[in-house]
Amino acid sequence: MAGGKGGRHMSATREEVEAAESAGLIGDADTTMRLAKRVARIDDAFLQDSYDLYMQFLVVGSGTFSVVQQGGMNEGKRMARRYHWYSGTMGTMLDDNREGISAPVPQDSVLDLTASSSRGGNRRAMVEVLRERPESLMSMFAIGGQRTLDSTGKPVLNLDIRVDWKRLRQLYEYDVTGFEQLVDMPGLGKSTLRAISYMAEVITGEKASTRDPPVKFSFAVGGKDGVPKPVNVRDYDRAIEFFREAVGSLDRGGQEDKDTDRELIEAKQGEV
């Protein structure tokens, strides 16, 4: 296991991942670190759900790795959430590739540029916006207050958000040809992405997904803050003992393997 929280966790993670590479647990440390940074950026900027990412852990072994990262406290709901990824299924990370989210409840409304439903519409329109000269975009929107009705004779769209036009000029000069380029572009933050997505919607009518990705996991045995219920140590002990026996029986073969499969299925269905 590698990772941690705070500003230095990536340097510490690199040392641990390089050690895992030396031990033959993963293929290439540089590739693993690049993907880990990409996953962090995806969940922090391209899924805007009011949680700021501050912790990331990698579990490595057998040539693959999983990423679990935590979004910080939502001040309104006083809750945190965790995002789960697996290297074997993460793909481009832009088409519903998460394994799931661990949270007590889904968010009511988010901006999810990683959803496959955003791909053909809003994401494509965002690239088109970035290929327009910023001066042309500025002329389409009401900038700096109300204009007179006869100032230009052209329809004026209301853009009720702040836009970093200098940054848009830099992106225009970068000559973006595909949305995936934005994922690895340094200095492209949440507010700029939201502004580009909103402009793309206003101009083309193509909306990004506002649905929370699937919340597949929850804190079944309680949380230290009492959400969704206070921690029950006896529940912890029973769960640990069950899975210890289940995993231990996998090496025995025969009928016991089938019994283990049945027990795991029953546990998933809430019968154990």
Side-chain angles (χ1 to χ4, degrees), residues 42-60:
I42 286 287
D43 279 339
D44 197 44
F46 288 77
L47 171 61
Q48 299 188 23
D49 55 2
S50 74
Y51 293 84
D52 293 323
L53 204 69
Y54 80 100
M55 183 187 301
Q56 184 187 69
F57 288 97
L58 280 72
V59 182
V60 301

Side-chain angles (χ1 to χ4, degrees), residues 192-214:
T192 301
L193 282 169
R194 180 175 284 273
I196 298 169
S197 174
Y198 183 52
M199 284 195 290
E201 177 183 339
V202 171
I203 294 171
T204 69
E206 298 286 359
K207 297 182 179 181
S209 173
T210 57
R211 296 184 60 185
D212 205 14

